[in-house]
Amino acid sequence: MKKQVFAALAILFLSGIAMAQETTEKKDRKFELAVNGKLGFVQLKQSGVPSLNGNLTGSDVLLAYKISPKWDLATGIGFYEFNANTIVAGNSASLRSSHLRIPVQFNGDYSIFKSEKNNSDKMFFTIGLGLYANTILKQELEAVTGNAEAKNLGWNFGLTTQVGAKFIINDDINIAIGLESQGDLTKAKKDGGEQKLEQFNGLYFRLGFKI
């Protein structure tokens, strides 16, 4: 009988330790790895030529750190591609440029349906505000008269804002979808040429993993 009581107490003690460790792990997991996909319309402004409307697609890989119960700070790296149609010497042509970005962004999550249980909310209204450094890795022009290519066309900086909804799938995974606006604040410059992307309006999709 004593052995059974001792075994029961031991099991309860070990279970308590396991639950405490699990709670501590969940509480201490302040890092999140996020993958963003984006698609939208944007305007390219270049020196000496009319503004050009096109589309911008891309993705970011970000590491976020929770700095408060509602806010986190994220940074990482992103790759984007701009595509547009234009006219060269009276003929149709296509312009494509590849961009590398380093974003720094604040993200806030606010519960939509407040739950009485702690940490059990599943849906959030999310907002984001950040800056990014951008470089044009390569720009290609394809036309009937011939193709042209330029590389490393300079750095510039921009501003981005987001609004959307975030859904908690489980303790490890969440997804978010929403609207994003962004635009370059400065111009990328090289060899007398200047350019920047403005008035980006599009959709974003984010997949987050707690680590």
Side-chain angles (χ1 to χ4, degrees):
M1 182 67 178
K2 290 182 179 180
K3 291 183 178 179
Q4 293 176 346
V5 172
F6 179 77
L9 290 174
I11 292 172
L12 288 174
F13 178 72
L14 293 174
S15 298
I17 292 176
M19 291 178 64
Q21 288 179 340
E22 183 179 356
T23 301
T24 301
E25 288 177 359
K26 289 181 180 179
K27 185 177 179 180
D28 291 340
R29 289 198 302 172
K30 293 186 176 182
F31 287 96
E32 178 175 303
L33 182 66
V35 180
N36 292 332
K38 303 177 185 180
L39 169 65
F41 300 99
V42 70
Q43 186 177 83
L44 172 66
K45 287 192 173 182
Q46 295 177 295
S47 56
V49 297
S51 298
L52 188 62
N53 295 319
N55 61 73
L56 186 70
T57 58
S59 61
D60 302 309
V61 177
L62 305 176
L63 181 63
Y65 178 77
K66 187 159 287 295
I67 57 177
S68 76
K70 296 184 182 298
W71 289 88
D72 63 56
L73 176 64
T75 187
I77 192 169
F79 293 94
Y80 291 79
E81 185 172 278
F82 170 79
N83 287 278
N85 295 319
T86 185
I87 302 296
V88 176
N91 297 307
S92 297
S94 63
L95 179 68
R96 181 172 63 251
S97 58
S98 302
H99 301 250
L100 180 145
R101 289 188 178 177
I102 303 173
V104 177
Q105 184 167 326
F106 289 95
N107 300 298
D109 299 331
Y110 293 86
S111 179
I112 296 177
F113 302 108
K114 188 65 178 178
S115 174
E116 295 180 357
K117 298 180 180 180
N118 292 333
N119 301 323
S120 62
D121 298 330
K122 299 297 183 182
M123 186 181 300
F124 295 85
F125 171 72
T126 180
I127 57 176
L129 176 65
L131 297 171
Y132 59 82
N134 171 79
T135 183
I136 306 172
L137 299 174
K138 183 169 64 173
Q139 194 165 69
E140 300 171 280
L141 180 67
E142 297 181 358
V144 176
T145 54
N147 300 335
E149 179 180 299
K151 295 183 179 180
N152 302 320
L153 297 178
W155 285 86
N156 61 351
F157 299 91
L159 175 70
T160 179
T161 59
Q162 295 177 342
V163 293
K166 180 179 178 179
F167 306 91
I168 306 301
I169 306 301
N170 55 42
D171 291 337
D172 300 314
I173 301 174
N174 63 79
I175 61 173
I177 188 170
L179 303 175
E180 178 167 346
S181 295
Q182 61 177 251
D184 295 345
L185 299 175
T186 61
K187 298 176 181 178
K189 302 177 181 180
K190 184 177 181 181
D191 299 332
E194 300 179 351
Q195 59 178 296
K196 65 177 181 176
L197 294 174
E198 291 186 338
Q199 302 176 19
F200 170 84
N201 293 291
L203 297 173
Y204 77 87
F205 176 82
R206 181 169 67 241
L207 181 61
F209 303 91
K210 291 288 186 179
I211 56 177

